[in-house]
Amino acid sequence: MENINHPTALADEPTLPFLPPPTRFAVPPKNAGRKRIRGLKPPAYSLSSSSDPAVFSSDDDPALDNYIHGRRKKRYVGTWYDQHPASSDSADSAMGDDMRPPLLKPRPQRQFKRQFDSGVWMQADISTDADENMELDPSISRLPISHSAPLRPRYSEEEASAQQIVQSCIDVGREEVDLSALQLCSIPNAILELISLIVPIPTVAKDVAFEQRDPDIKLFLSNNFLRQFPSAIINIEHLTVLSLRGNRLTELPPAIASLKNLETLNIAQNKLRSLPGELLSLMKAGSKLTDVQLHPNPFYQPRVPNYCPSGMEEYERGTFGPKGDADMCESWHGFTTTLLARTPVQFSYHSTVVSRFEFPTATSLPAHLRKLDLEELWFLEIPKVIRKTIGPLLDEPRASTPKGAPPLFEMALRAAARYPDRESTKCMLGERGVPRHFTPAFERAAHIFDMGSQTCCVCGRDTIMPLTEWVEFREVQRTHVVVMGQTENWYSTRVSNNGDEHCVPFVRKGCSWSCIPFKASEPSEDLELVPEV
Amino acid sequence: MATNSDGARNTKYVTMISGDGFEFVVLREACLLSPTIKGMLRGSFSEAKTGRCVFPEITGPVLEKVVEYLYYYHKNVNVPYVPDMEIPVELCLVLLEAADYFQLDKQMT
């Protein structure tokens, strides 16, 4: 096969295989039947990427003929990323020309963009010019990184120092956490939760068996500016000493009764007007509480100072069920209380008080307004509206265990209080068309939820919207029980002989209108009654 | 189902229909917990005659939850320490309104 264009000057040189025709010249196949058909048109720039199938025809057919049929080596022009994968000759040519798909498919212009996982961008040893010219701004990342990473709670200076103290207590295993006089206005629960992590380091001495003991945590929060009882305290199981002296607390949570290991409680010099009735469970025979400082506090006082109720036993047994006073098998000393009087019951409905008797709501009260009316234990004033509803229930025997389901309203309220986004809930409740009593009911429920829990004092059901409320005035006594053989000797002394500190108010809350004090039977005529003022 | 007015009064079931057309056939005894429904099923109201109560302001999912509550309550009368019924957060505010409407807002026992 002669190429006419071949220069004759080279004719005497040793024969070399002829170069394939540059382009355009079509060479008819020789043995069309047996051999592979090359394309009549040599492929234009077949822009195929390196990952395409083999380009050497020898892979398919080792015959050298293949090399003289206008076959040309693939050439790549332009940058690597402009190379499009195209069908390779070797694969397609077998199908014949007719079936050959178009070599250059129309492709959209490739957008240049940075691909983070591409090796090209990963600081290769050999960098190309393009790399160096690229300005890669590391601050702007296109990866979907959430920018709302949880921020660490920012503590104020006082809170930070409190945290340091707690942390150092954990580090050295010290059980006295002294956070007093740090000018704390509030203390985040996150800090107090750390206190549960304190583990005492046992004393190791010769000839003493190693013994693991429960921590004996003492928490001093005295002389701060706390307005709310830090609710995380009630979760510190092994708390034995709690001092909240000299704060601005207006209320103790009912859940304080869950601090069963508490031995010392100091709540003097606060703004407490009453104590939760649940605290009484720590002030009875058998409990561990041995030291209580309650005064001074602006407590409610009875309007009639020296009051001697009748039917006390009946009231206590009827309202709160039979007392489970366990027989003391060993000597005990602690606190007990005796009932002195009780106020009328405040009934509320739709977050408004419907009874004549109402607790003052103002935040600060002069002493004469802190005096509350009293009611005989055999008398029970129930507003007419409520009497109509609960009338038949009054005669039924009291349930000492909660029975039946809570009202739907309360269940929905609880679900709402559990939801953390309080502000948006309040906004929705403030919209037009929503009954107005929803917002105060929700606020109260949220408050009770934050403070732990509130149980009905009569039926023991967990409630988030108590409907009845009354105060019991009790005398707190320091009591010693000495057991000698089969006999128990009880010695009680008043905690305080000061007239103002004689009566301590304990708030009782009921979950329904029928969770009210038991009406003691009327005393006989000859007993002189103290008139209500 | 009885069709005459006297018959409907004593049927065992009552049909509650939501505003968007969902119908719930509920035990009459369970329904009577709600003073609102009790009032509807009394006297000469059309609901009392037909035994069908339509609540145009209440949507299907909410009414379904209310009906669930009615049965939950009915089942647990006199059962001590009742387990809580699940209330989804997204429904709690509408359920507050529904509870207010059905007067299921205070402890009855």
Side-chain angles (χ1 to χ4, degrees), chain A residues 259-326:
Chain A
L259 294 170
K260 297 276 182 231
N261 294 314
L262 204 60
E263 289 165 12
T264 304
L265 176 66
N266 191 339
I267 47 171
Q269 289 175 351
N270 276 290
K271 297 190 171 178
L272 298 169
R273 261 187 248 160
S274 59
L275 298 173
E278 285 78 0
L279 193 61
L280 291 171
S281 72
L282 300 181
M283 293 174 127
K284 61 176 191 194
S287 64
K288 291 186 180 172
L289 201 62
T290 49
D291 192 10
V292 172
Q293 294 295 325
L294 302 176
H295 300 284
N297 264 309
F299 282 131
Y300 288 131
Q301 289 299 313
R303 206 173 286 270
V304 186
N306 291 310
Y307 192 80
C308 203
S310 60
M312 212 172 68
E313 278 282 309
E314 210 179 342
Y315 159 79
E316 297 229 38
R317 196 163 7 91
T319 313
F320 310 113
K323 250 204 267 178
D325 254 356

Side-chain angles (χ1 to χ4, degrees), chain A residues 349-350 389 393 401-416 418-419 425 428-429 433 435 437-438 461 465 467 511-514, chain B residues 65-66 69 72-73 76-89 91-93 95-100 102-109:
Chain A
Y349 180 52
H350 284 177
T389 326
L393 294 167
T401 50
K403 277 183 182 166
L408 181 62
F409 191 82
E410 189 179 334
M411 289 170 80
L413 209 53
R414 193 182 293 274
R418 211 175 281 148
Y419 185 61
T425 313
M428 279 190 264
L429 287 174
H437 66 269
F438 281 20
R461 189 185 276 131
M465 45 172 222
L467 296 179
C511 68
S512 75
W513 288 340
S514 52
Chain B
K65 209 70 194 171
V66 172
Y69 174 77
Y72 163 79
Y73 189 93
N76 291 310
V77 185
N78 289 328
V79 174
Y81 303 106
V82 185
D84 262 0
M85 192 178 95
E86 193 87 3
I87 290 198
V89 172
L91 279 185
C92 68
L93 294 185
L95 274 174
L96 275 182
E97 286 187 83
D100 191 57
F102 285 110
Q103 298 178 45
L104 297 169
D105 53 357
K106 55 187 172 293
Q107 200 73 49
M108 298 310 276
T109 51

Side-chain angles (χ1 to χ4, degrees), chain A residues 146-297:
Chain A
S146 69
H147 290 284
S148 60
L151 292 168
R152 275 187 69 96
R154 289 277 168 89
Y155 293 142
S156 68
E157 215 171 289
E158 297 87 35
E159 288 164 352
S161 57
Q163 194 194 19
Q164 270 181 5
I165 293 171
V166 173
Q167 195 59 50
S168 70
C169 285
I170 297 172
D171 292 345
V172 300
R174 191 168 62 232
E175 292 154 289
E176 290 94 2
V177 185
D178 189 357
L179 301 178
S180 56
L182 288 178
Q183 310 200 323
L184 293 163
C185 291
S186 66
I187 182 158
N189 283 348
I191 294 178
L192 290 175
E193 277 159 11
L194 293 174
I195 292 178
S196 304
L197 301 178
I198 294 177
V199 179
I201 296 168
T203 46
V204 182
K206 215 178 171 186
D207 300 327
V208 175
F210 176 81
E211 200 177 335
Q212 195 171 15
R213 66 177 173 93
D214 285 334
D216 198 8
I217 291 168
K218 303 174 175 70
L219 176 59
F220 301 98
L221 278 164
S222 46
N223 296 320
N224 284 300
F225 302 114
L226 300 176
R227 286 168 191 282
Q228 262 206 346
F229 186 88
S231 57
I233 289 180
I234 56 181
N235 295 324
I236 307 173
E237 193 194 337
H238 297 292
L239 194 67
T240 54
V241 176
L242 175 61
S243 173
L244 288 161
R245 186 189 183 90
N247 279 288
R248 295 176 180 177
L249 304 177
T250 52
E251 181 186 31
L252 286 188
I256 199 169
S258 62
L259 294 170
K260 297 276 182 231
N261 294 314
L262 204 60
E263 289 165 12
T264 304
L265 176 66
N266 191 339
I267 47 171
Q269 289 175 351
N270 276 290
K271 297 190 171 178
L272 298 169
R273 261 187 248 160
S274 59
L275 298 173
E278 285 78 0
L279 193 61
L280 291 171
S281 72
L282 300 181
M283 293 174 127
K284 61 176 191 194
S287 64
K288 291 186 180 172
L289 201 62
T290 49
D291 192 10
V292 172
Q293 294 295 325
L294 302 176
H295 300 284
N297 264 309

